[in-house]
Amino acid sequence: MATARTINLAFTGASGAQYGLRLLQCLVAAGCRVHVMISKAAQIVIATETDLKLSGAPPAMQKTLAEFASAEPGQVLVFGREDWFSPPASGSGEKAPLVVCPCSTGTLSALATGASNNLIERAGDVALKERRQLILVPREAPYSEVHLENMLKLTRMGAVIMPASPGFYHRPHSVDDLVDFIVARILDHLDLPQDLMPRWGEARINAKRDRNDGFGQQD
């Protein structure tokens, strides 16, 4: 794992724990090292929405998540909520993208106003000030004016706001297909390979190549 790419992944208290857990599995499968941060509210949400039970201690959570994602030893590291000496807590730490998935509206507010009251907020602050890739996956409905203002502010700061709003043009057959739609979009933004769903237009291009003909407006 010495040369593996590192991705910082934070779980917060919004509904949609399945998105973050599926992303963790895919990051591990892609050979990434994953630095995980989990808020107290996220622990409750994960226990409510899934069969996964995470204890409050980072070492125990790390063991559970590593087993869940079929990770190699050391591939998944979990940092405590006030672990200020962890790599995500400083701009002089390892340069790595941060994905907050799911992202609560409270976390959106904290990041938009520069709060650093816990490691997740500090990691987001570091990503913004260092101009690192920051992907936020809010799951809320409807959005208030405050939520929208915070998302606009963060977008202007350089963050990518990717609401957990899956499309249906791939004709999903299950909830897992809907989850994979969002996870595939995140992986695309991280420039990581994914085969969860075909990219838009790929099937058409492949068919054209097979037929060895050109493109027209009505093809």
Side-chain angles (χ1 to χ4, degrees):
M1 298 304 298
T3 59
R5 185 180 177 192
T6 297
I7 306 294
N8 295 323
L9 173 60
F11 293 78
T12 63
S15 177
Q18 293 87 344
Y19 292 108
L21 292 172
R22 179 62 169 147
L23 178 59
L24 174 63
Q25 289 179 321
C26 292
L27 292 174
V28 166
C32 297
R33 179 188 291 110
V34 189
H35 290 171
V36 178
M37 295 159 278
I38 304 176
S39 73
K40 187 173 182 180
Q43 287 181 255
I44 297 172
V45 172
I46 290 171
T48 301
E49 296 185 341
T50 76
D51 294 327
L52 201 63
K53 307 299 180 185
L54 300 176
S55 75
M61 288 193 286
Q62 180 172 302
K63 182 176 184 296
T64 300
L65 290 174
E67 291 175 352
F68 170 81
S70 300
E72 297 293 330
Q75 191 175 6
V76 173
L77 301 178
V78 175
F79 298 110
R81 288 184 278 274
E82 295 184 348
D83 190 348
W84 307 118
F85 291 97
S86 63
S90 175
S92 59
E94 183 178 6
K95 183 179 180 181
L98 170 61
V99 183
V100 184
C101 179
C103 181
S104 68
T105 55
T107 301
L108 282 175
S109 175
L111 296 180
T113 56
S116 295
N117 295 314
N118 55 56
L119 181 58
I120 292 175
E121 294 174 7
R122 173 58 182 167
D125 193 42
V126 167
L128 290 169
K129 78 182 184 72
E130 299 290 331
R131 303 296 193 266
R132 295 175 184 172
Q133 190 174 21
L134 174 60
I135 301 174
L136 306 174
V137 187
R139 210 302 312 159
E140 186 60 82
Y143 292 124
S144 73
E145 182 178 352
V146 172
H147 301 154
L148 294 170
E149 287 177 346
N150 287 333
M151 285 190 277
L152 177 60
K153 189 174 182 180
L154 286 163
T155 297
R156 288 172 171 167
M157 292 179 187
V160 171
I161 307 297
M162 190 178 297
S165 304
F168 289 83
Y169 52 79
H170 64 307
R171 298 189 178 184
H173 296 288
S174 66
V175 172
D176 288 343
D177 290 341
L178 296 174
V179 171
D180 281 353
F181 182 97
I182 296 299
V183 172
R185 296 289 287 125
I186 297 171
L187 294 172
D188 283 343
H189 273 261
L190 292 172
D191 198 25
L192 289 169
Q194 62 86 13
D195 57 6
L196 300 179
M197 60 171 290
R199 291 180 176 84
W200 183 261
E202 276 186 341
R204 177 170 173 260
I205 290 175
N206 290 336
K208 285 289 184 180
R209 285 173 177 163
D210 291 341
R211 295 197 302 268
N212 195 30
D213 58 7
F215 292 89
Q217 291 184 348
Q218 303 299 323
D219 57 83

